[in-house]
Amino acid sequence: MTTPSTPSGDMQPRDATYWAQQGTNLKLSDVPAGAINLNVEGRSVVGPLQGFGKMWQKTYRVRLVDALVQPTEVIATWKENFQSFWPKGNRFYAPLTGITPGEVALLNLKTGGMPLSTGVLVLYADDESFTLMTPQGHMFAGWITFSAYVDDGATVAQAQVLMRANDPIYEMGLTMGGHKQEDKFWEHTLKSLAARFGVLAPVQIQAVCVDPKRKWAHAKNIRHNAAMRTVLSAPSRWFHRGRKQ
Amino acid sequence: MSQPNVVMSVRHVDAKISIIDIQGDITALAENALMEAISQANMPSVRAIILNFGGLEFMNSGGIGLLVTLLIRMNRQKQHLLAYGLSEHYKHIFELTRLNEVIGVYDTEVGAVAAAARLT
């Protein structure tokens, strides 16, 4: 009897299964009921180097003091209940398979009172962190990494955004209150996560301007602006909804 | 927090080009090691730094973020960042995160050094 040969996967790097495997264009496997599916299918993901505005690294942290919880448990809970920690009025339609590498999630958000339909790619996911990357037309070009780690005896939950505003309109919006709105969003999220583990703790916010230069060559990203497209497509969506009823 | 699992060593090709050999993991924890290597590589006349990823064993999204911030820092100093030795898996990650559009990626050290020489 021969032992089956080990698959060549043994030669794979340790992180091989943690990264999305597809190309840069998004493909939706399913559209959850009630979700508005706009500005996602076929869009390319964009990193912070493809955006327009100043580049920011913003870090939001909460120390889960006195909670006997391991980082892996925090991340498992966060992945499983991602939407439930968000402020009301914003929807994250998780893929059926959950937050796993390569999956695409639809986002229906309210920004400055306006609807915004977009999505994210699960770029990376392991037991202690996961990263969502944005597509063309999203408010920002970049990614956000959710992680948990032990620091000085306590487990810390963290969300870290590395981004530029995708186009001049979003950059103006971020400058005129958008950054504060985003800070409130993630502060709410981390407080809700901490509350899940019985912790009431402040959220530390740190913002670093990594690059103060705007990339004018990328101003043309405005043609993909998902907020404008969502608003402009609203009459058509209402018409189709009316016909179905 | 955990300790970084990475060793970096610096070679000076000539007055304008330095190479950093990376052995181990590139995660956010590698920041201090990378910045230390960059400061060793960064002689006043250096115009290009080449990262040798031939010994890369693990990289997460924190590591990619580290490379982005390094690139911005180097661009600000009018320096070039290049890379070689990436396996197919890591080439794919560079493509997915679109780092390959801004960091010159080469198969060999000879190719990367030649490209750096043209840039400097």
Side-chain angles (χ1 to χ4, degrees), chain A residues 34-70:
Chain A
I36 301 171
N37 173 20
L38 278 176
N39 309 310
V40 177
E41 190 78 38
R43 294 296 176 92
S44 293
V45 286
V46 280
L49 297 163
Q50 284 77 41
F52 166 79
K54 296 178 179 180
M55 190 187 292
W56 291 91
Q57 181 169 278
K58 298 169 81 173
T59 308
Y60 308 88
R61 295 190 184 98
V62 63
R63 288 180 71 81
L64 304 176
V65 182
D66 296 333
L68 298 174
V69 58
Q70 294 300 310

Side-chain angles (χ1 to χ4, degrees), chain A residues 75-111:
Chain A
I75 291 301
T77 302
W78 208 344
K79 282 180 184 169
E80 202 170 321
N81 305 281
F82 193 74
Q83 150 72 34
S84 70
F85 301 128
W86 277 20
K88 280 181 185 167
N90 299 286
R91 287 298 307 265
F92 175 92
Y93 292 95
L96 286 177
T97 51
I99 295 179
T100 52
E103 290 292 343
V104 176
L106 289 174
L107 306 183
N108 292 170
L109 308 171
K110 277 196 178 154
T111 56

Side-chain angles (χ1 to χ4, degrees), chain A residues 15 26 43 53 80 139 164 175 217 228:
Chain A
D15 56 60
L26 297 187
R43 294 296 176 92
E80 202 170 321
M139 285 172 291
R164 290 182 193 274
T175 310
M228 288 197 305

Side-chain angles (χ1 to χ4, degrees), chain A residues 11-234:
Chain A
M11 299 301 288
Q12 292 283 317
R14 285 164 20 236
D15 56 60
T17 57
Y18 301 150
W19 287 93
Q21 292 301 315
Q22 72 269 53
T24 55
N25 286 352
L26 297 187
K27 281 182 191 156
L28 268 170
S29 52
D30 66 293
V31 179
I36 301 171
N37 173 20
L38 278 176
N39 309 310
V40 177
E41 190 78 38
R43 294 296 176 92
S44 293
V45 286
V46 280
L49 297 163
Q50 284 77 41
F52 166 79
K54 296 178 179 180
M55 190 187 292
W56 291 91
Q57 181 169 278
K58 298 169 81 173
T59 308
Y60 308 88
R61 295 190 184 98
V62 63
R63 288 180 71 81
L64 304 176
V65 182
D66 296 333
L68 298 174
V69 58
Q70 294 300 310
T72 50
E73 194 181 340
V74 172
I75 291 301
T77 302
W78 208 344
K79 282 180 184 169
E80 202 170 321
N81 305 281
F82 193 74
Q83 150 72 34
S84 70
F85 301 128
W86 277 20
K88 280 181 185 167
N90 299 286
R91 287 298 307 265
F92 175 92
Y93 292 95
L96 286 177
T97 51
I99 295 179
T100 52
E103 290 292 343
V104 176
L106 289 174
L107 306 183
N108 292 170
L109 308 171
K110 277 196 178 154
T111 56
M114 303 227 312
L116 169 63
S117 299
T118 179
V120 284
L121 168 73
V122 182
L123 175 69
Y124 179 95
D126 65 21
D127 290 343
E128 295 188 352
S129 70
F130 58 101
T131 300
L132 306 178
M133 187 173 183
T134 60
Q136 295 166 318
H138 194 283
M139 285 172 291
F140 62 79
W143 47 73
I144 178 161
T145 297
F146 305 90
S147 60
Y149 56 89
V150 175
D151 178 48
D152 200 17
T155 294
V156 177
Q158 174 178 290
Q160 187 172 65
V161 189
L162 185 62
M163 58 83 125
R164 290 182 193 274
N166 235 326
D167 65 39
I169 290 181
Y170 286 137
E171 176 72 348
M172 197 163 62
L174 280 175
T175 310
M176 297 170 66
H179 276 300
K180 269 189 186 168
Q181 200 180 343
E182 194 197 16
D183 291 349
K184 277 185 184 169
F185 187 102
W186 293 116
E187 188 177 16
H188 175 100
T189 298
L190 282 172
K191 277 187 173 170
S192 303
L193 175 68
R196 176 65 61 98
F197 296 104
V199 175
L200 185 64
V203 174
Q204 298 169 342
I205 301 175
Q206 183 185 37
V208 177
C209 185
V210 178
D211 185 5
K213 287 187 179 168
R214 296 187 172 98
K215 297 287 178 187
W216 287 97
H218 298 163
K220 60 181 183 293
N221 290 350
I222 203 164
R223 69 192 187 280
H224 297 295
N225 188 295
M228 288 197 305
R229 284 169 175 263
T230 305
V231 170
L232 291 174
S233 69

